[in-house]
Each structure stands twice: as structure tokens, then as C-alpha cells.
Amino acid sequence: MFGETSAFSGFSVDDLDAARRFYGETLGLKVEEAGEGEMRMLFLTLAGGTRVFVYPKEDHTAASYTILNFQVDDVDRAVDELAARGVTTERYPGFDADEKGILRGGDGRPTIAWFTDPAGNVLSVLKEDV
């Protein structure tokens, strides 16, 4: 039914200005702002042209799951670059991350590190290990 229909994903934040700075300046994504006043919103453009809608929500609750996964060639380098920009990795119970917060893959599992945006939403950098 929707196989030929364009679509986009979205998520909420509690501070649109902080989100604009984080996604634009810290992560280096193209960020466009639209609307005015209470109707302000952001559009993030990912590699390949995919757009993601970001909207403010007064009673925002951070997503407890990963909302964006950034595929990278080198997770160690990505984690180091994030750390240099003030972003720390998250560690979750049940996952044996190393001292950098990286969960090493293998056996078909990705190497992955999680971090959060200013609103507490979970993101990751990962490399598919084949």
C-alpha cells in the first residue's frame, strides 16, 4: 500500500534550541527550522537525503529506545570525536561495554556505542561486523 510513498520519522524534544545546536553543531547534521512560536519545528537531513522531523513537546519523555543509529566505518574514532565534542557514551546493564563505552560485536552482532541528545533521547554509532 505505501511501498512507493515517501515517509519520514520524527521524535520529540523538550528544548528545540538545544536540539538545533546538538544536531547541527555537535553532530554536524543539516538542520532546518520551520514554523513560528508554538509551531516551531526542526528537520534534520541525514546522509542520503532522509529527513527526520523534530518537534518540541512540553511533557516530553525521552525515548527509552534508540531513535537514530549512525552507521560508521570506525566506532572507536566516532566515540573519540564525540568525546572531543563533549558527548559521553551511555552504559546499560547487561551489556559489557569497554572503557570507552563500546560494546564490541562479532558473530553477526554490530560494534555499537550509545549516547543521548540534550533531551535524553538515545542515539548510537555502530558498525556492522560481518
Side-chain angles (χ1 to χ4, degrees):
M1 180 171 157
F2 295 118
E4 300 299 319
T5 302
S6 64
F8 60 90
S9 182
F11 59 89
S12 71
V13 297
D14 55 0
D15 184 332
L16 206 61
D17 293 322
R20 183 176 10 87
R21 287 188 302 274
F22 179 77
Y23 287 100
E25 297 171 18
T26 304
L27 299 186
L29 299 178
K30 179 181 176 187
V31 178
E32 298 171 87
E33 188 169 328
E36 296 178 3
E38 292 182 15
M39 297 302 294
R40 284 177 58 215
M41 63 194 83
L42 302 176
F43 285 97
L44 311 177
T45 302
L46 309 176
T50 300
R51 289 173 36 123
V52 178
F53 172 57
V54 180
Y55 57 95
K57 187 174 178 197
E58 271 187 43
D59 61 345
H60 165 76
T61 300
S64 60
Y65 53 87
T66 309
I67 62 166
L68 284 175
N69 296 284
F70 294 96
Q71 292 182 299
V72 296
D73 292 329
D74 186 335
V75 174
D76 282 278
R77 187 176 73 222
V79 167
D80 291 344
E81 289 177 15
L82 286 166
R85 295 170 185 230
V87 178
T88 58
T89 55
E90 298 290 322
R91 289 169 174 77
Y92 297 103
F95 293 101
D96 293 325
D98 65 15
E99 68 281 349
K100 291 171 103 174
I102 300 172
L103 179 65
R104 302 292 169 175
D107 297 326
R109 295 175 315 192
T111 294
I112 187 168
W114 292 277
F115 59 101
T116 60
D117 72 3
N121 295 311
V122 181
L123 302 99
S124 82
V125 288
L126 64 85
K127 180 176 192 293
E128 296 290 333
D129 292 326
V130 192

